Amino acid sequence: MTATAAVATQVADLSRKPDLLAMFDIAGGHERVEARLRNALDGNGAAGADLEILERKASAQAIRVVAEADTSWSYGSRSFAGRAKGSIEYVSPGALKRVMKQRCEEWSKSKPVMDLLRSKLASDPKAGMLLPAEFPLGAVPHTVGCEEPCTQCRGLGTHDCHICRSGRVNCYHCGGLGELHVTGQQYRARCPTCRGSRTVGCQGCGAAGWVHCLPCGMSGIITTLCEGTVSAKVAYRTEPLDGFDPAWRAALTTNGHAWLVDICKAGNAPRLAEVPGGIVVQWSIAVQVLTQRFRILGKAYEAVFVGNKETVWSMPRFLDAAAKPIAEAISRAMPVEAFAFADRHPLSKDVRRVVLDGGEDEQIRERFESAVSPEFIQSLRLSLQRARDTIAAHAIKAAWRRAIPVSLLLVGYGVGTGLFGRLLPSPRGSGGATTGDLNLFAGLVVFCALVGASYWLAGNAGRNALKVALGTPVKAMPPQGKAPAIAALVGILLYAGIAYFVGRSSPDAGVAPVVSTPPHASASVKPVAAAVPSASDLYDRSFPKVAPPTVPFSGR
């Protein structure tokens, strides 16, 4: 926008203020930073007193935040039956859209809309610099409409019935013949419904020949209304200020300016300029930069903090060197001793809590001012995880050694006795599964459910083992390794063997029928097969015999 440069010349340059650093609490900021560094170091291989401050420096960096806000509008239409009430500007149907666009354009550039946009941008600097990319500004107070005659009834409110002609339809009893054939007679009788007239009154329109028009609600008019809304779109950018390092401006705004709002100081009131259909707003903000050089155990470091909340900008990983002996002692210690040793130091204690209760490594880094590397935390966590798994492994394996035999015993009993098959409904038809097949399938489902319950019990057993060994409650379930997979595989193979032997001895197995010969019969006489039922026998068995009903006065 052309007004941006003009506004830039009006914004006071923060570099001209000799007391810019006086806006910040420099001495208090250095003291708070030093206290945080000593707190992060204390107990992690060194004491807080081992931190020696070598140099303190303070500076300020300023940038300009520019917001370009433009108004936009949109409208929608809706149609309904009858006339509308209220203040409506009625136009012809052909001019409806053109007039509505004109009203929306006029309102989006009106003074009330610009005043509302200005208040949102400039009333509060923090809110003005954190507006969303698009936000609403209200509805357009002009409604444009048009009225058209209903196409269904041509504006009459009623139309002819589509079922009949002048309210009459063919008689449904005689089919429009006017007479009925009498069974067993040689003559025809007059239809009692239409009395020989061949037509009856239409039930759809009540014999009126016309019906009310539903689309227009019997008004004969369809009204269309157009209503609009206005919104604003905001685009932010940052610019360097004279006298300040442009590299710092680029670094501070790499991820946008929003994170700077809470840690900066506004140098002056925002300056505004109105452009056609929008507003340009500029803020000048300043950020303090604190630099501290310090020495720990004979090694010098330098840390940088920005903003009035002393946010860490760059931090050396001095805890990696200071806590290295702690990590080495934990990796060499026995499992229970490793947890006891980790509980004595703040950094390793936090890692211990993550291993036992769950959490993220990044939370640990934030607590210790990012003075420890992710790789160091990961190595410390892996050492404690190996110790945890060693303590819980014995209880987990013992739980699985008991769970699989008990599960197989229960499932084998249910399958062998046919208990599962009796609990399920009997299969229908001769081509489907047999009761024995359902029995085996139900046994497999029960076995899988028991394996899932065993997994939960084994995890609890490992957690209880950790609780007893370490003397502290454990929230996270320890991993069980390959024990569940091996136990489940062995259990499924054993169940397959059980299912094979049970299937062979099942009464549903296919066995050829054997016909025995009577003892008194001759050896040369062949066994007689069972008699094949006749069709009449099958009919009598399938359909019961029912006596016909007695009709009263049937002899008359």
Side-chain angles (χ1 to χ4, degrees):
M1 295 183 179
T2 57
T4 304
V7 176
T9 60
Q10 302 174 9
V11 178
D13 195 345
L14 291 177
S15 62
R16 299 173 187 173
K17 292 186 177 182
D19 57 344
L20 178 60
L21 289 177
M23 298 171 59
F24 304 98
D25 183 12
I26 302 299
H30 278 298
E31 293 177 359
R32 290 189 292 270
V33 166
E34 181 179 344
R36 287 161 52 184
L37 292 175
R38 294 185 187 278
N39 184 51
L41 178 63
D42 194 18
N44 295 311
D50 294 334
L51 187 143
E52 178 185 358
I53 300 297
L54 301 179
E55 184 182 6
R56 293 177 174 177
K57 294 189 295 183
S59 62
Q61 300 294 332
I63 61 176
R64 180 186 294 120
V65 179
V66 182
E68 297 181 352
D70 298 325
T71 58
S72 61
W73 52 266
S74 63
Y75 73 91
S77 61
R78 57 189 179 94
S79 300
F80 55 91
R83 288 184 169 85
K85 297 180 180 180
S87 177
I88 301 172
E89 180 182 358
Y90 285 99
V91 296
S92 64
L96 180 63
K97 293 184 178 181
R98 176 177 55 82
V99 175
M100 188 62 204
K101 291 179 180 179
Q102 183 180 355
R103 297 294 180 265
C104 290
E105 186 70 22
E106 293 173 353
W107 180 253
S108 65
K109 298 178 181 179
S110 63
K111 186 177 182 301
V113 172
M114 290 301 168
D115 291 343
L116 179 60
L117 180 59
R118 186 183 299 106
S119 66
K120 287 183 175 293
L121 287 168
S123 59
D124 183 9
K126 182 178 293 187
M129 286 187 281
L130 295 178
L131 288 173
E134 185 174 1
F135 55 91
L137 293 177
V140 177
H142 299 284
T143 303
V144 182
C146 68
E147 293 182 351
E148 298 177 273
C150 176
T151 58
Q152 187 77 13
C153 63
R154 295 183 176 86
L156 300 176
T158 60
H159 59 81
D160 294 338
C161 179
H162 299 296
I163 302 176
C164 65
R165 292 182 180 179
S166 301
R168 307 293 294 180
V169 296
N170 288 338
C171 177
Y172 58 87
H173 194 181
C174 63
L177 299 177
E179 57 184 13
L180 298 173
H181 176 70
V182 181
T183 305
Q185 303 296 331
Q186 299 298 325
Y187 63 90
R188 294 176 176 271
R190 188 178 63 172
C191 176
T193 302
C194 64
R195 300 181 183 276
S197 63
R198 300 184 179 185
T199 60
V200 294
C202 176
Q203 296 181 357
C205 61
W210 55 269
V211 293
H212 294 294
C213 182
L214 298 180
C216 66
M218 300 178 294
S219 65
I221 297 175
I222 299 295
T223 303
T224 302
L225 297 182
C226 287
E227 299 168 325
T229 58
V230 178
S231 60
K233 296 181 179 180
V234 183
Y236 292 96
R237 71 173 188 273
T238 58
E239 298 176 352
L241 286 174
D242 296 337
F244 296 93
D245 188 358
W248 264 103
R249 194 271 309 177
L252 288 172
T253 59
T254 300
N255 297 323
H257 71 284
W259 76 281
L260 294 172
V261 174
D262 289 333
I263 64 173
C264 70
K265 294 282 188 179
N268 57 311
R271 298 300 177 93
L272 295 88
E274 291 191 10
V275 296
I279 296 177
V280 177
V281 186
Q282 294 189 2
W283 300 268
S284 295
I285 59 175
V287 180
Q288 69 172 357
V289 180
L290 302 180
T291 304
Q292 284 200 2
R293 294 184 64 251
F294 51 91
R295 182 187 294 116
I296 299 175
L297 301 179
K299 189 174 182 180
Y301 302 94
E302 181 177 290
V304 180
F305 305 83
V306 297
N308 50 21
K309 295 183 179 180
E310 295 87 34
T311 304
V312 176
W313 181 259
S314 66
M315 176 67 69
R317 312 292 171 76
F318 60 85
L319 282 183
D320 290 8
K324 185 177 180 180
I326 300 175
E328 294 176 349
I330 291 175
S331 63
R332 293 193 302 264
M334 298 297 290
V336 178
E337 296 175 355
F339 279 95
F341 191 78
D343 197 31
R344 303 172 189 170
H345 308 280
L347 176 60
S348 57
K349 187 175 182 179
D350 277 15
V351 178
R352 177 182 185 271
R353 185 178 64 252
V354 169
V355 171
L356 296 180
D357 299 337
E360 300 293 336
D361 293 350
E362 190 60 29
Q363 298 175 353
I364 302 176
R365 295 191 67 244
E366 292 177 359
R367 182 188 170 191
F368 291 95
E369 307 296 336
S370 300
V372 57
S373 64
E375 295 78 14
F376 184 84
I377 295 179
Q378 183 180 10
S379 64
L380 191 58
R381 176 171 50 80
L382 291 176
S383 299
L384 290 176
Q385 284 178 349
R386 285 192 294 268
R388 176 201 63 189
D389 297 344
T390 303
I391 297 173
H394 178 73
I396 291 174
K397 291 178 180 178
W400 278 109
R401 282 196 296 266
R402 295 183 181 91
I404 291 300
V406 173
S407 300
L408 286 174
L409 181 61
L410 295 175
V411 174
Y413 175 79
V415 172
T417 58
L419 176 62
F420 300 137
R422 290 194 298 270
L423 295 177
L424 297 175
S426 301
R428 297 181 179 180
S430 58
T434 63
T435 304
D437 296 335
L438 294 179
N439 185 39
L440 294 177
F441 177 74
L444 179 60
V445 173
V446 172
F447 177 74
C448 293
L450 291 175
V451 169
S454 300
Y455 182 86
W456 182 79
L457 293 174
N460 271 336
R463 185 164 57 182
N464 291 332
L466 287 170
K467 180 179 179 180
V468 173
L470 304 179
T472 181
V474 179
K475 296 181 181 178
M477 193 81 76
Q480 302 184 29
K482 299 180 180 179
I486 296 174
L489 179 61
V490 172
I492 290 176
L493 292 176
L494 293 176
Y495 178 77
I498 294 174
Y500 175 74
F501 287 107
V502 172
R504 291 191 62 183
S505 60
S506 175
D508 293 333
V511 180
V514 179
V515 181
S516 61
T517 305
H520 59 276
S522 172
S524 61
V525 178
K526 296 182 180 180
V528 180
V532 178
S534 62
S536 60
D537 294 337
L538 292 175
Y539 180 84
D540 293 340
R541 296 175 187 175
S542 302
F543 301 98
K545 295 182 178 181
V546 180
T550 302
V551 180
F553 310 107
S554 59
R556 296 184 179 181

